[in-house]
Amino acid sequence: MKILGIESSCDETAAAVVEDGREVLSNIIATSLEEHKLYGGVVPEIASRRHAESISGVVKEALEKAGCVMKDINAIAVTYAPGLIGALLVGVNFAKGLALACNTPLVPVHHIRGHIASNYISSDIRPPFLCLVVSGGHSHIIAVNGYTDFEIIGKTRDDAAGEALDKAGRTMGLEYPGGVSIDRISKEGNENAFSFPKPRVSDSLYDFSFSGLKTAVINTIHNAEQKEEKINIADLAASFQKSVVDCLVTNLEKAAVDRGFNKIVIAGGVSANSKLRAEAQKLCERRKWSLYLPKLKYCGDNAAMIASQGYYEFMQGITADESLNAYATMPIDKSYKTN
Ligand code: KG4
Ligand code: ZN
């Protein structure tokens, strides 16, 4: 079964064809990242305009690379939530039009479910497993009990991990996205040079809080500026990255022990982070758990992960008609109503 995936929730316009949920036949991504770098963050209006310009070419290329025409496609999977609303609408409307014109079933896919599925196109992992999802907008610990059965165990109370890295990176004067820059520059820094408070969320064992940590870094920079002291940015970046990764891995370990999981999965843009990958590896070696990480090319936003999750949703009979809408927010454990 061949699924055409379409993704446009942020600044990547992407289309892909995936067979039986696991085999990637094509994976095309156009990004407006370079334009957003000028502003230090994604400008929603620019992202929407670029999606509208690129989407038909990207879909056409994905079909061609897969050696397919529309009549070979069994269903169209599209990201409908969560994300930038104007950006999502471009993909959703394109997918609706294509589905109607070609008489092809339409499958709505939750973006974060898609990130989790990036592991299905990277290895032979199958649910149940415990997943740490870390992206620009989300930090969750999720029990993935089945392909379409999700239970939120922990989440961030304020900033997502990627958001905190991006904001801290901006204050350090690093290029957007800060998460990528911090990962790069940290390799030259001493991660024990600065110590930051370990944030605690008093009434939950598994929730995260990153805003205090982010403020601590920003204050360190401002204090140094006021005293006209020079700060080693590589040391600061490495120390901050270490603190963020410590919080993620500590809660992940607690959740896995308490819930009895021995299969651990990481997903989302921040899963590309080299420190997080290394620390998760150490944890799983120490605990004798199996660790699954997405291939680097599937960590960021792409449509192959959407097509993969779309396959499993379609198998459950989840489809939408032309009334499908896009939503800026949507809990991962809420299933789309079936037609
Ligand atoms: O999943 P994603 O592409 O988009 C969302 O769904 O949010 O995640 C983007 C986030 C950004 O915050 C970016 O800084 C972060 O992922 N990111 C990284 C790395 N690569 C991307 N953070 C740390 N280290 C990286 N290597
Ligand atoms: Zn994403």
Side-chain angles (χ1 to χ4, degrees):
M1 179 161 307
K2 292 191 177 76
I3 310 286
L4 169 67
I6 296 178
E7 153 68 36
S8 70
S9 67
C10 192
D11 56 343
E12 270 87 29
T13 319
V17 179
V18 174
E19 189 153 18
D20 296 334
R22 299 269 173 174
E23 199 193 332
V24 180
L25 304 183
S26 65
N27 185 37
I28 308 297
I29 305 174
T31 177
S32 49
L33 176 69
E34 286 305 316
E35 270 180 274
H36 304 296
K37 278 184 182 170
L38 298 172
Y39 305 94
V42 175
V43 182
E45 183 57 25
I46 294 178
S48 306
R49 282 167 187 267
R50 296 298 165 260
H51 287 313
E53 286 164 9
S54 315
I55 195 152
S56 39
V58 166
V59 170
K60 191 162 173 271
E61 200 180 333
L63 289 167
E64 276 169 14
K65 278 259 163 70
C68 291
V69 289
M70 273 312 290
K71 71 169 165 33
D72 304 321
I73 298 295
N74 300 90
I76 301 168
V78 64
T79 307
Y80 78 111
L84 302 171
I85 192 70
L88 284 165
L89 277 169
V90 176
V92 166
N93 284 326
F94 189 90
K96 285 202 288 191
L98 193 61
L100 206 61
C102 301
N103 200 19
T104 310
L106 180 65
V107 183
V109 174
H110 189 285
H111 182 75
I112 300 302
R113 292 187 181 199
H115 272 300
I116 295 172
S118 65
N119 285 279
Y120 306 147
I121 49 175
S122 299
S123 70
D124 60 359
I125 177 77
R126 279 158 216 283
F129 54 80
L130 188 70
C131 186
L132 171 69
V133 182
V134 270
S135 72
H138 294 81
S139 299
H140 279 105
I141 296 175
I142 296 170
V144 181
N145 299 319
Y147 288 106
T148 57
D149 180 358
F150 302 86
E151 186 192 344
I152 299 172
I153 302 210
K155 59 180 186 304
T156 181
R157 294 290 179 92
D158 38 60
D159 290 356
E163 189 182 356
L165 286 161
D166 290 347
K167 287 179 182 165
R170 182 149 74 173
T171 314
M172 291 176 204
L174 302 174
E175 186 181 67
Y176 178 83
V180 178
S181 300
I182 287 179
D183 192 0
R184 196 181 307 130
I185 197 172
S186 291
K187 298 197 168 77
E188 297 148 28
N190 169 9
E191 63 180 21
N192 300 313
F194 295 85
S195 70
F196 295 112
K198 203 162 187 180
R200 279 181 198 284
V201 181
S202 55
D203 55 342
S204 165
L205 283 175
Y206 316 118
D207 280 1
F208 305 108
S209 168
F210 293 112
S211 90
L213 203 51
K214 176 195 68 188
T215 307
V217 170
I218 294 172
N219 287 345
T220 305
I221 296 171
H222 288 167
N223 284 341
E225 275 169 4
Q226 276 161 6
K227 292 185 199 154
E228 293 182 2
E229 284 170 5
K230 205 158 162 38
I231 263 191
N232 183 320
I233 293 295
D235 287 353
L236 186 65
S239 306
F240 178 63
Q241 176 177 267
K242 177 175 183 277
S243 301
V244 170
V245 169
D246 267 359
C247 297
L248 294 171
V249 173
T250 303
N251 288 15
L252 179 63
E253 180 173 14
K254 265 190 270 178
V257 169
D258 293 354
R259 294 300 188 107
F261 281 99
N262 57 14
K263 277 198 285 181
I264 306 296
V265 170
I266 307 199
V270 184
S271 66
N273 184 266
S274 53
K275 173 81 179 164
L276 175 59
R277 291 174 89 96
E279 291 302 322
Q281 196 81 51
K282 277 190 215 158
L283 164 69
C284 290
E285 271 164 25
R286 176 164 53 79
R287 288 278 187 183
K288 301 200 168 32
W289 294 337
S290 312
L291 175 68
Y292 299 84
L293 298 165
K295 287 181 182 162
L296 283 176
K297 64 178 170 183
Y298 299 134
C299 287
D301 290 346
N302 66 84
M305 67 185 197
I306 302 301
S308 172
Q309 181 62 23
Y311 168 79
Y312 294 105
E313 303 276 344
F314 191 48
M315 288 292 128
Q316 291 294 311
I318 311 284
T319 57
D321 61 19
E322 60 281 0
S323 67
L324 176 65
N325 206 348
Y327 301 90
T329 60
M330 177 70 63
I332 190 172
D333 49 356
K334 188 166 186 280
S335 284
Y336 186 79
K337 65 167 177 55
T338 49
N339 284 319

